[in-house]
């Protein structure tokens, strides 16, 4: 692979869908709704090549549950977009994939990695890696149901004694998936221990479809080195994008041998306001205040006095108060003491 500036950060094709870059926002339940995806886009612009929804239950979608159906909504600016579904029932998976296509998504993604007991107990998520025949049937039904490309996201396996990602990957590719994403941990590991990037690299070597690696891309330097060292065709970034929504743009800057510039205080204040407006526009009520506080807390990290500001943000009782605390801290030099009172 050549390493001219920017060359590792390249457009990627997922079937007929052209991605601007090979950096993908990871699907994250309770996080990557439309408001958050737009916020990441606002921060990183077209450096983020693909947005992926949080996982959506096919049981709810196919029973026309209003809240589940609302989770499929996306803004016209969110392109290209992949909607991830989870479940185990073959017919419902196919019907839900059709609904994703009808909703106008570019890609439908099948979740085979969720470790949550309530998901795996019902045969979905990571459990599908233990039931490859069931997974094959699902993939065939989905393939027959839609004309948009389908992709699959897996883990390295169930546990150390069942690290079967290589077998599952071959089957997924044979059944016509246009891309494979791999979180390099087993189901039993959850989010602990090391992410197995050597396995991701092995999957990439063997596959003829793009392999996207996921796990612990916490900063632009890590992102770039994973790409430069050829571990994957592209990267998914999850928690790193929660902590730093500018991470995609910063990775691109680094790939172009430009300086990585941290977001300014004013940009941080603006991004929080953008997120609030996006939540309002999407009429997103789930954990509204908690999510605003959460982004606020990420935005003050690393600043002197940030710990006390985080406590003040955590104690804010309204969206206005969250915005005010951040603005005062970032732009007016206000500092907060242990009891959240002004000290200077
Ligand atoms: C809060 C949270 C929610 C997640 N929800 C999903 C999900 O809905 N679907 C999915 O495939 N993976 C989900 N994941 C896994 C991530 O997509 C990703 O593979 C994993 O966090 C490792 O990447 P990271 O270290 O960049 O976060 C979730 C992870 C987190 C932290």
């Amino acid at each position: 692979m050549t390493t001219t500036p920017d060359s590792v950060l390249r457009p990627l094709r997922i079937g007929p869908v052209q991605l601007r870059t090979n950096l993908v926002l990871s699907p994250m339940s309770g996080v990557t709704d439309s408001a958050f995806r737009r916020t990441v886009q606002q921060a990183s612009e077209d450096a983020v090549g693909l947005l992926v929804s949080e996982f959506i239950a096919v049981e709810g979608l196919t029973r026309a549950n209003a809240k589940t159906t609302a989770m499929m909504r996306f803004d016209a600016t969110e392109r290209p977009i992949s909607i991830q579904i989870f479940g185990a029932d073959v017919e419902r998976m196919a019907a839900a994939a059709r609904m994703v296509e009808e909703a106008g998504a570019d890609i439908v993604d099948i979740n085979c990695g969720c470790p949550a007991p309530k998901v795996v107990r019902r045969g979905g998520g990571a459990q599908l890696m233990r039931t490859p025949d069931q997974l094959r049937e699902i993939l065939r039904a989905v393939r027959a149901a839609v004309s948009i490309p389908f992709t699959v996201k897996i883990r390295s396996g169930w546990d150390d004694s069942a690290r079967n990602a290589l077998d599952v990957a071959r089957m997924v590719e044979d059944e016509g998936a246009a891309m494979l994403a791999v979180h390099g941990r087993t189901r039993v590991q959850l989010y602990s221990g090391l992410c197995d990037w050597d396995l991701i690299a092995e999957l990439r070597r063997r596959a003829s479809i793009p392999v996207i690696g996921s796990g612990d891309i916490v900063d632009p330097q890590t992102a770039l080195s994973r790409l430069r060292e050829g571990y994957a065709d592209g990267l998914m970034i999850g928690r790193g994008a929660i902590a730093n929504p500018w991470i995609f743009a910063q990775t691109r800057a680094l790939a172009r041998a430009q300086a990585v510039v941290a977001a300014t205080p004013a940009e941080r204040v603006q991004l929080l306001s953008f997120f609030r407006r996006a939540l309002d526009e999407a009429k997103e009520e789930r954990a509204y205040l908690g999510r605003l506080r959460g982004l606020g807390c990420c935005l003050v990290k690393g600043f002197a006095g940030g710990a006390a500001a985080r406590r003040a943000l955590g104690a804010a009782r309204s969206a206005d108060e969250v915005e005010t605390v951040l603005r005062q801290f970032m732009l007016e030099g206000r500092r907060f003491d242990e009891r959240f009172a002004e000290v200077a």
Side-chain angles (χ1 to χ4, degrees), residues 9-43:
L9 215 83
R10 55 191 169 75
L12 194 67
R13 281 189 84 83
I14 310 286
V17 181
Q18 183 72 49
L19 311 191
R20 291 177 296 266
T21 72
N22 47 355
L23 298 179
V24 178
L25 176 65
S26 257
M28 288 184 286
S29 172
V31 179
T32 57
D33 61 0
S34 178
F36 184 80
R37 296 190 303 260
R38 288 175 57 202
T39 301
V40 167
Q41 249 185 342
Q42 174 72 13

PDB file of all heavy atoms in Angstrom, residues 9-43:
ATOM      1  N   LEU A   9      -6.699   7.397   3.571  1.00  0.00           N
ATOM      2  CA  LEU A   9      -8.063   7.855   3.815  1.00  0.00           C
ATOM      3  C   LEU A   9      -8.703   8.037   2.450  1.00  0.00           C
ATOM      4  O   LEU A   9      -8.562   9.063   1.823  1.00  0.00           O
ATOM      5  CB  LEU A   9      -8.027   9.187   4.551  1.00  0.00           C
ATOM      6  CG  LEU A   9      -9.152   9.346   5.526  1.00  0.00           C
ATOM      7  CD1 LEU A   9      -8.773   8.645   6.807  1.00  0.00           C
ATOM      8  CD2 LEU A   9      -9.423  10.796   5.792  1.00  0.00           C
ATOM      9  N   ARG A  10      -9.354   6.994   2.001  1.00  0.00           N
ATOM     10  CA  ARG A  10      -9.780   7.032   0.606  1.00  0.00           C
ATOM     11  C   ARG A  10     -11.254   6.704   0.495  1.00  0.00           C
ATOM     12  O   ARG A  10     -11.842   6.130   1.412  1.00  0.00           O
ATOM     13  CB  ARG A  10      -8.944   6.061  -0.218  1.00  0.00           C
ATOM     14  CG  ARG A  10      -8.988   4.671   0.341  1.00  0.00           C
ATOM     15  CD  ARG A  10      -7.966   3.770  -0.293  1.00  0.00           C
ATOM     16  NE  ARG A  10      -7.877   2.537   0.460  1.00  0.00           N
ATOM     17  CZ  ARG A  10      -8.775   1.563   0.439  1.00  0.00           C
ATOM     18  NH1 ARG A  10      -9.843   1.665  -0.324  1.00  0.00           N
ATOM     19  NH2 ARG A  10      -8.625   0.483   1.178  1.00  0.00           N
ATOM     20  N   PRO A  11     -11.843   7.064  -0.637  1.00  0.00           N
ATOM     21  CA  PRO A  11     -13.238   6.682  -0.845  1.00  0.00           C
ATOM     22  C   PRO A  11     -13.365   5.163  -0.845  1.00  0.00           C
ATOM     23  O   PRO A  11     -12.409   4.459  -1.162  1.00  0.00           O
ATOM     24  CB  PRO A  11     -13.560   7.242  -2.225  1.00  0.00           C
ATOM     25  CG  PRO A  11     -12.487   8.209  -2.531  1.00  0.00           C
ATOM     26  CD  PRO A  11     -11.276   7.777  -1.778  1.00  0.00           C
ATOM     27  N   LEU A  12     -14.518   4.690  -0.475  1.00  0.00           N
ATOM     28  CA  LEU A  12     -14.723   3.243  -0.397  1.00  0.00           C
ATOM     29  C   LEU A  12     -16.071   2.951  -1.033  1.00  0.00           C
ATOM     30  O   LEU A  12     -17.014   3.729  -0.879  1.00  0.00           O
ATOM     31  CB  LEU A  12     -14.735   2.855   1.088  1.00  0.00           C
ATOM     32  CG  LEU A  12     -14.600   1.391   1.465  1.00  0.00           C
ATOM     33  CD1 LEU A  12     -13.224   0.867   1.096  1.00  0.00           C
ATOM     34  CD2 LEU A  12     -14.805   1.242   2.977  1.00  0.00           C
ATOM     35  N   ARG A  13     -16.154   1.844  -1.724  1.00  0.00           N
ATOM     36  CA  ARG A  13     -17.447   1.454  -2.315  1.00  0.00           C
ATOM     37  C   ARG A  13     -18.051   0.323  -1.509  1.00  0.00           C
ATOM     38  O   ARG A  13     -17.381  -0.662  -1.219  1.00  0.00           O
ATOM     39  CB  ARG A  13     -17.255   0.978  -3.756  1.00  0.00           C
ATOM     40  CG  ARG A  13     -17.092   2.082  -4.758  1.00  0.00           C
ATOM     41  CD  ARG A  13     -17.142   1.519  -6.167  1.00  0.00           C
ATOM     42  NE  ARG A  13     -18.522   1.370  -6.608  1.00  0.00           N
ATOM     43  CZ  ARG A  13     -19.229   2.365  -7.121  1.00  0.00           C
ATOM     44  NH1 ARG A  13     -18.696   3.552  -7.255  1.00  0.00           N
ATOM     45  NH2 ARG A  13     -20.470   2.173  -7.513  1.00  0.00           N
ATOM     46  N   ILE A  14     -19.325   0.487  -1.164  1.00  0.00           N
ATOM     47  CA  ILE A  14     -20.084  -0.590  -0.522  1.00  0.00           C
ATOM     48  C   ILE A  14     -21.137  -0.983  -1.546  1.00  0.00           C
ATOM     49  O   ILE A  14     -22.171  -0.308  -1.657  1.00  0.00           O
ATOM     50  CB  ILE A  14     -20.775  -0.110   0.776  1.00  0.00           C
ATOM     51  CG1 ILE A  14     -19.795   0.618   1.704  1.00  0.00           C
ATOM     52  CG2 ILE A  14     -21.484  -1.265   1.480  1.00  0.00           C
ATOM     53  CD1 ILE A  14     -18.824  -0.249   2.422  1.00  0.00           C
ATOM     54  N   GLY A  15     -20.851  -2.022  -2.326  1.00  0.00           N
ATOM     55  CA  GLY A  15     -21.734  -2.314  -3.453  1.00  0.00           C
ATOM     56  C   GLY A  15     -21.786  -1.080  -4.341  1.00  0.00           C
ATOM     57  O   GLY A  15     -20.750  -0.518  -4.698  1.00  0.00           O
ATOM     58  N   PRO A  16     -22.988  -0.576  -4.660  1.00  0.00           N
ATOM     59  CA  PRO A  16     -23.080   0.599  -5.518  1.00  0.00           C
ATOM     60  C   PRO A  16     -22.924   1.923  -4.767  1.00  0.00           C
ATOM     61  O   PRO A  16     -22.919   2.990  -5.376  1.00  0.00           O
ATOM     62  CB  PRO A  16     -24.505   0.491  -6.083  1.00  0.00           C
ATOM     63  CG  PRO A  16     -25.268  -0.238  -5.014  1.00  0.00           C
ATOM     64  CD  PRO A  16     -24.302  -1.152  -4.333  1.00  0.00           C
ATOM     65  N   VAL A  17     -22.799   1.856  -3.457  1.00  0.00           N
ATOM     66  CA  VAL A  17     -22.777   3.091  -2.657  1.00  0.00           C
ATOM     67  C   VAL A  17     -21.340   3.576  -2.496  1.00  0.00           C
ATOM     68  O   VAL A  17     -20.467   2.843  -2.026  1.00  0.00           O
ATOM     69  CB  VAL A  17     -23.408   2.863  -1.260  1.00  0.00           C
ATOM     70  CG1 VAL A  17     -23.390   4.155  -0.452  1.00  0.00           C
ATOM     71  CG2 VAL A  17     -24.826   2.324  -1.395  1.00  0.00           C
ATOM     72  N   GLN A  18     -21.135   4.816  -2.891  1.00  0.00           N
ATOM     73  CA  GLN A  18     -19.801   5.401  -2.830  1.00  0.00           C
ATOM     74  C   GLN A  18     -19.654   6.188  -1.526  1.00  0.00           C
ATOM     75  O   GLN A  18     -20.418   7.122  -1.287  1.00  0.00           O
ATOM     76  CB  GLN A  18     -19.616   6.335  -4.036  1.00  0.00           C
ATOM     77  CG  GLN A  18     -18.249   6.971  -4.142  1.00  0.00           C
ATOM     78  CD  GLN A  18     -17.177   5.958  -4.549  1.00  0.00           C
ATOM     79  OE1 GLN A  18     -17.352   5.219  -5.506  1.00  0.00           O
ATOM     80  NE2 GLN A  18     -16.085   5.922  -3.800  1.00  0.00           N
ATOM     81  N   LEU A  19     -18.706   5.798  -0.696  1.00  0.00           N
ATOM     82  CA  LEU A  19     -18.446   6.560   0.527  1.00  0.00           C
ATOM     83  C   LEU A  19     -17.350   7.584   0.245  1.00  0.00           C
ATOM     84  O   LEU A  19     -16.397   7.287  -0.468  1.00  0.00           O
ATOM     85  CB  LEU A  19     -17.980   5.642   1.668  1.00  0.00           C
ATOM     86  CG  LEU A  19     -18.772   4.370   1.962  1.00  0.00           C
ATOM     87  CD1 LEU A  19     -18.281   3.771   3.285  1.00  0.00           C
ATOM     88  CD2 LEU A  19     -20.262   4.640   2.036  1.00  0.00           C
ATOM     89  N   ARG A  20     -17.471   8.758   0.855  1.00  0.00           N
ATOM     90  CA  ARG A  20     -16.464   9.810   0.637  1.00  0.00           C
ATOM     91  C   ARG A  20     -15.122   9.414   1.246  1.00  0.00           C
ATOM     92  O   ARG A  20     -14.068   9.684   0.689  1.00  0.00           O
ATOM     93  CB  ARG A  20     -16.926  11.119   1.292  1.00  0.00           C
ATOM     94  CG  ARG A  20     -18.108  11.771   0.619  1.00  0.00           C
ATOM     95  CD  ARG A  20     -18.526  13.005   1.389  1.00  0.00           C
ATOM     96  NE  ARG A  20     -18.995  12.662   2.730  1.00  0.00           N
ATOM     97  CZ  ARG A  20     -20.281  12.453   3.036  1.00  0.00           C
ATOM     98  NH1 ARG A  20     -21.204  12.586   2.116  1.00  0.00           N
ATOM     99  NH2 ARG A  20     -20.637  12.139   4.269  1.00  0.00           N
ATOM    100  N   THR A  21     -15.180   8.805   2.411  1.00  0.00           N
ATOM    101  CA  THR A  21     -13.945   8.326   3.051  1.00  0.00           C
ATOM    102  C   THR A  21     -14.237   6.959   3.660  1.00  0.00           C
ATOM    103  O   THR A  21     -15.397   6.551   3.771  1.00  0.00           O
ATOM    104  CB  THR A  21     -13.467   9.249   4.204  1.00  0.00           C
ATOM    105  OG1 THR A  21     -14.354   9.080   5.323  1.00  0.00           O
ATOM    106  CG2 THR A  21     -13.414  10.708   3.803  1.00  0.00           C
ATOM    107  N   ASN A  22     -13.180   6.304   4.096  1.00  0.00           N
ATOM    108  CA  ASN A  22     -13.341   4.982   4.720  1.00  0.00           C
ATOM    109  C   ASN A  22     -13.430   5.079   6.250  1.00  0.00           C
ATOM    110  O   ASN A  22     -13.060   4.151   6.953  1.00  0.00           O
ATOM    111  CB  ASN A  22     -12.212   4.040   4.282  1.00  0.00           C
ATOM    112  CG  ASN A  22     -10.839   4.689   4.376  1.00  0.00           C
ATOM    113  OD1 ASN A  22     -10.720   5.870   4.674  1.00  0.00           O
ATOM    114  ND2 ASN A  22      -9.804   3.918   4.114  1.00  0.00           N
ATOM    115  N   LEU A  23     -13.900   6.213   6.738  1.00  0.00           N
ATOM    116  CA  LEU A  23     -14.133   6.382   8.176  1.00  0.00           C
ATOM    117  C   LEU A  23     -15.634   6.380   8.426  1.00  0.00           C
ATOM    118  O   LEU A  23     -16.378   7.157   7.813  1.00  0.00           O
ATOM    119  CB  LEU A  23     -13.541   7.709   8.667  1.00  0.00           C
ATOM    120  CG  LEU A  23     -12.036   7.879   8.521  1.00  0.00           C
ATOM    121  CD1 LEU A  23     -11.613   9.257   9.035  1.00  0.00           C
ATOM    122  CD2 LEU A  23     -11.276   6.782   9.265  1.00  0.00           C
ATOM    123  N   VAL A  24     -16.061   5.511   9.330  1.00  0.00           N
ATOM    124  CA  VAL A  24     -17.493   5.276   9.537  1.00  0.00           C
ATOM    125  C   VAL A  24     -17.847   5.562  11.001  1.00  0.00           C
ATOM    126  O   VAL A  24     -17.103   5.166  11.904  1.00  0.00           O
ATOM    127  CB  VAL A  24     -17.824   3.789   9.211  1.00  0.00           C
ATOM    128  CG1 VAL A  24     -19.297   3.497   9.459  1.00  0.00           C
ATOM    129  CG2 VAL A  24     -17.427   3.455   7.776  1.00  0.00           C
ATOM    130  N   LEU A  25     -18.962   6.237  11.200  1.00  0.00           N
ATOM    131  CA  LEU A  25     -19.457   6.417  12.570  1.00  0.00           C
ATOM    132  C   LEU A  25     -20.113   5.108  13.014  1.00  0.00           C
ATOM    133  O   LEU A  25     -21.063   4.636  12.396  1.00  0.00           O
ATOM    134  CB  LEU A  25     -20.479   7.563  12.623  1.00  0.00           C
ATOM    135  CG  LEU A  25     -21.145   7.774  13.987  1.00  0.00           C
ATOM    136  CD1 LEU A  25     -20.134   8.208  15.047  1.00  0.00           C
ATOM    137  CD2 LEU A  25     -22.270   8.801  13.881  1.00  0.00           C
ATOM    138  N   SER A  26     -19.599   4.520  14.087  1.00  0.00           N
ATOM    139  CA  SER A  26     -20.106   3.232  14.590  1.00  0.00           C
ATOM    140  C   SER A  26     -21.570   3.332  15.000  1.00  0.00           C
ATOM    141  O   SER A  26     -21.982   4.350  15.543  1.00  0.00           O
ATOM    142  CB  SER A  26     -19.340   2.850  15.863  1.00  0.00           C
ATOM    143  OG  SER A  26     -18.388   1.881  15.622  1.00  0.00           O
ATOM    144  N   PRO A  27     -22.306   2.242  14.812  1.00  0.00           N
ATOM    145  CA  PRO A  27     -23.655   2.219  15.391  1.00  0.00           C
ATOM    146  C   PRO A  27     -23.551   2.148  16.902  1.00  0.00           C
ATOM    147  O   PRO A  27     -22.797   1.342  17.437  1.00  0.00           O
ATOM    148  CB  PRO A  27     -24.254   0.923  14.820  1.00  0.00           C
ATOM    149  CG  PRO A  27     -23.073   0.056  14.498  1.00  0.00           C
ATOM    150  CD  PRO A  27     -21.951   0.986  14.134  1.00  0.00           C
ATOM    151  N   MET A  28     -24.300   2.994  17.600  1.00  0.00           N
ATOM    152  CA  MET A  28     -24.303   2.944  19.070  1.00  0.00           C
ATOM    153  C   MET A  28     -25.701   3.202  19.598  1.00  0.00           C
ATOM    154  O   MET A  28     -26.259   4.286  19.399  1.00  0.00           O
ATOM    155  CB  MET A  28     -23.305   3.946  19.650  1.00  0.00           C
ATOM    156  CG  MET A  28     -21.847   3.529  19.458  1.00  0.00           C
ATOM    157  SD  MET A  28     -20.683   4.658  20.246  1.00  0.00           S
ATOM    158  CE  MET A  28     -20.760   6.058  19.148  1.00  0.00           C
ATOM    159  N   SER A  29     -26.214   2.188  20.270  1.00  0.00           N
ATOM    160  CA  SER A  29     -27.561   2.257  20.817  1.00  0.00           C
ATOM    161  C   SER A  29     -27.672   3.383  21.851  1.00  0.00           C
ATOM    162  O   SER A  29     -26.798   3.524  22.712  1.00  0.00           O
ATOM    163  CB  SER A  29     -27.867   0.902  21.467  1.00  0.00           C
ATOM    164  OG  SER A  29     -29.057   0.967  22.160  1.00  0.00           O
ATOM    165  N   GLY A  30     -28.717   4.181  21.722  1.00  0.00           N
ATOM    166  CA  GLY A  30     -28.910   5.292  22.658  1.00  0.00           C
ATOM    167  C   GLY A  30     -28.006   6.474  22.367  1.00  0.00           C
ATOM    168  O   GLY A  30     -28.018   7.460  23.100  1.00  0.00           O
ATOM    169  N   VAL A  31     -27.202   6.379  21.314  1.00  0.00           N
ATOM    170  CA  VAL A  31     -26.255   7.458  20.993  1.00  0.00           C
ATOM    171  C   VAL A  31     -26.440   7.949  19.554  1.00  0.00           C
ATOM    172  O   VAL A  31     -26.712   9.127  19.319  1.00  0.00           O
ATOM    173  CB  VAL A  31     -24.789   6.994  21.187  1.00  0.00           C
ATOM    174  CG1 VAL A  31     -23.820   8.118  20.827  1.00  0.00           C
ATOM    175  CG2 VAL A  31     -24.551   6.516  22.613  1.00  0.00           C
ATOM    176  N   THR A  32     -26.296   7.032  18.578  1.00  0.00           N
ATOM    177  CA  THR A  32     -26.234   7.490  17.181  1.00  0.00           C
ATOM    178  C   THR A  32     -27.627   7.620  16.558  1.00  0.00           C
ATOM    179  O   THR A  32     -27.927   7.030  15.524  1.00  0.00           O
ATOM    180  CB  THR A  32     -25.323   6.590  16.311  1.00  0.00           C
ATOM    181  OG1 THR A  32     -25.796   5.232  16.388  1.00  0.00           O
ATOM    182  CG2 THR A  32     -23.888   6.644  16.750  1.00  0.00           C
ATOM    183  N   ASP A  33     -28.456   8.439  17.199  1.00  0.00           N
ATOM    184  CA  ASP A  33     -29.728   8.814  16.562  1.00  0.00           C
ATOM    185  C   ASP A  33     -29.434   9.951  15.587  1.00  0.00           C
ATOM    186  O   ASP A  33     -28.282  10.399  15.458  1.00  0.00           O
ATOM    187  CB  ASP A  33     -30.766   9.198  17.622  1.00  0.00           C
ATOM    188  CG  ASP A  33     -30.324  10.391  18.454  1.00  0.00           C
ATOM    189  OD1 ASP A  33     -29.219  10.930  18.223  1.00  0.00           O
ATOM    190  OD2 ASP A  33     -31.086  10.800  19.341  1.00  0.00           O
ATOM    191  N   SER A  34     -30.488  10.420  14.928  1.00  0.00           N
ATOM    192  CA  SER A  34     -30.287  11.432  13.900  1.00  0.00           C
ATOM    193  C   SER A  34     -29.585  12.671  14.464  1.00  0.00           C
ATOM    194  O   SER A  34     -28.673  13.219  13.836  1.00  0.00           O
ATOM    195  CB  SER A  34     -31.643  11.815  13.292  1.00  0.00           C
ATOM    196  OG  SER A  34     -31.476  12.812  12.332  1.00  0.00           O
ATOM    197  N   ALA A  35     -29.978  13.111  15.656  1.00  0.00           N
ATOM    198  CA  ALA A  35     -29.398  14.337  16.224  1.00  0.00           C
ATOM    199  C   ALA A  35     -27.893  14.177  16.435  1.00  0.00           C
ATOM    200  O   ALA A  35     -27.104  15.076  16.108  1.00  0.00           O
ATOM    201  CB  ALA A  35     -30.092  14.675  17.544  1.00  0.00           C
ATOM    202  N   PHE A  36     -27.486  13.040  16.963  1.00  0.00           N
ATOM    203  CA  PHE A  36     -26.051  12.835  17.210  1.00  0.00           C
ATOM    204  C   PHE A  36     -25.298  12.692  15.883  1.00  0.00           C
ATOM    205  O   PHE A  36     -24.206  13.239  15.705  1.00  0.00           O
ATOM    206  CB  PHE A  36     -25.812  11.607  18.096  1.00  0.00           C
ATOM    207  CG  PHE A  36     -24.364  11.414  18.442  1.00  0.00           C
ATOM    208  CD1 PHE A  36     -23.775  12.154  19.451  1.00  0.00           C
ATOM    209  CD2 PHE A  36     -23.575  10.513  17.739  1.00  0.00           C
ATOM    210  CE1 PHE A  36     -22.423  12.000  19.766  1.00  0.00           C
ATOM    211  CE2 PHE A  36     -22.226  10.353  18.037  1.00  0.00           C
ATOM    212  CZ  PHE A  36     -21.652  11.096  19.058  1.00  0.00           C
ATOM    213  N   ARG A  37     -25.878  11.956  14.955  1.00  0.00           N
ATOM    214  CA  ARG A  37     -25.195  11.767  13.658  1.00  0.00           C
ATOM    215  C   ARG A  37     -24.971  13.120  12.984  1.00  0.00           C
ATOM    216  O   ARG A  37     -23.897  13.389  12.443  1.00  0.00           O
ATOM    217  CB  ARG A  37     -26.022  10.843  12.754  1.00  0.00           C
ATOM    218  CG  ARG A  37     -26.166   9.430  13.286  1.00  0.00           C
ATOM    219  CD  ARG A  37     -26.792   8.497  12.244  1.00  0.00           C
ATOM    220  NE  ARG A  37     -28.076   8.913  11.742  1.00  0.00           N
ATOM    221  CZ  ARG A  37     -29.252   8.443  12.147  1.00  0.00           C
ATOM    222  NH1 ARG A  37     -29.316   7.517  13.093  1.00  0.00           N
ATOM    223  NH2 ARG A  37     -30.384   8.883  11.608  1.00  0.00           N
ATOM    224  N   ARG A  38     -25.993  13.971  13.032  1.00  0.00           N
ATOM    225  CA  ARG A  38     -25.848  15.296  12.407  1.00  0.00           C
ATOM    226  C   ARG A  38     -24.806  16.134  13.131  1.00  0.00           C
ATOM    227  O   ARG A  38     -24.102  16.933  12.520  1.00  0.00           O
ATOM    228  CB  ARG A  38     -27.203  16.014  12.413  1.00  0.00           C
ATOM    229  CG  ARG A  38     -28.177  15.391  11.408  1.00  0.00           C
ATOM    230  CD  ARG A  38     -29.532  16.053  11.525  1.00  0.00           C
ATOM    231  NE  ARG A  38     -29.456  17.488  11.336  1.00  0.00           N
ATOM    232  CZ  ARG A  38     -30.367  18.360  11.773  1.00  0.00           C
ATOM    233  NH1 ARG A  38     -31.420  17.928  12.424  1.00  0.00           N
ATOM    234  NH2 ARG A  38     -30.224  19.649  11.551  1.00  0.00           N
ATOM    235  N   THR A  39     -24.709  15.933  14.434  1.00  0.00           N
ATOM    236  CA  THR A  39     -23.724  16.691  15.219  1.00  0.00           C
ATOM    237  C   THR A  39     -22.307  16.264  14.826  1.00  0.00           C
ATOM    238  O   THR A  39     -21.414  17.104  14.670  1.00  0.00           O
ATOM    239  CB  THR A  39     -23.990  16.474  16.723  1.00  0.00           C
ATOM    240  OG1 THR A  39     -25.321  16.929  16.983  1.00  0.00           O
ATOM    241  CG2 THR A  39     -23.011  17.243  17.587  1.00  0.00           C
ATOM    242  N   VAL A  40     -22.120  14.965  14.635  1.00  0.00           N
ATOM    243  CA  VAL A  40     -20.806  14.486  14.200  1.00  0.00           C
ATOM    244  C   VAL A  40     -20.493  15.022  12.802  1.00  0.00           C
ATOM    245  O   VAL A  40     -19.381  15.470  12.522  1.00  0.00           O
ATOM    246  CB  VAL A  40     -20.756  12.938  14.225  1.00  0.00           C
ATOM    247  CG1 VAL A  40     -19.546  12.402  13.483  1.00  0.00           C
ATOM    248  CG2 VAL A  40     -20.748  12.448  15.663  1.00  0.00           C
ATOM    249  N   GLN A  41     -21.516  15.019  11.954  1.00  0.00           N
ATOM    250  CA  GLN A  41     -21.320  15.571  10.605  1.00  0.00           C
ATOM    251  C   GLN A  41     -20.972  17.054  10.661  1.00  0.00           C
ATOM    252  O   GLN A  41     -20.134  17.535   9.900  1.00  0.00           O
ATOM    253  CB  GLN A  41     -22.625  15.439   9.822  1.00  0.00           C
ATOM    254  CG  GLN A  41     -22.564  14.456   8.702  1.00  0.00           C
ATOM    255  CD  GLN A  41     -23.852  14.477   7.891  1.00  0.00           C
ATOM    256  OE1 GLN A  41     -24.894  14.976   8.335  1.00  0.00           O
ATOM    257  NE2 GLN A  41     -23.792  13.949   6.711  1.00  0.00           N
ATOM    258  N   GLN A  42     -21.628  17.767  11.565  1.00  0.00           N
ATOM    259  CA  GLN A  42     -21.370  19.195  11.716  1.00  0.00           C
ATOM    260  C   GLN A  42     -19.907  19.415  12.106  1.00  0.00           C
ATOM    261  O   GLN A  42     -19.241  20.307  11.593  1.00  0.00           O
ATOM    262  CB  GLN A  42     -22.313  19.755  12.796  1.00  0.00           C
ATOM    263  CG  GLN A  42     -22.084  21.198  13.188  1.00  0.00           C
ATOM    264  CD  GLN A  42     -22.532  22.173  12.103  1.00  0.00           C
ATOM    265  OE1 GLN A  42     -23.222  21.793  11.158  1.00  0.00           O
ATOM    266  NE2 GLN A  42     -22.108  23.426  12.214  1.00  0.00           N
ATOM    267  N   ALA A  43     -19.402  18.559  13.009  1.00  0.00           N
ATOM    268  CA  ALA A  43     -18.030  18.721  13.487  1.00  0.00           C
ATOM    269  C   ALA A  43     -17.015  18.239  12.452  1.00  0.00           C
ATOM    270  O   ALA A  43     -15.971  18.852  12.267  1.00  0.00           O
ATOM    271  CB  ALA A  43     -17.842  17.951  14.801  1.00  0.00           C
TER     272      ALA A  43
END
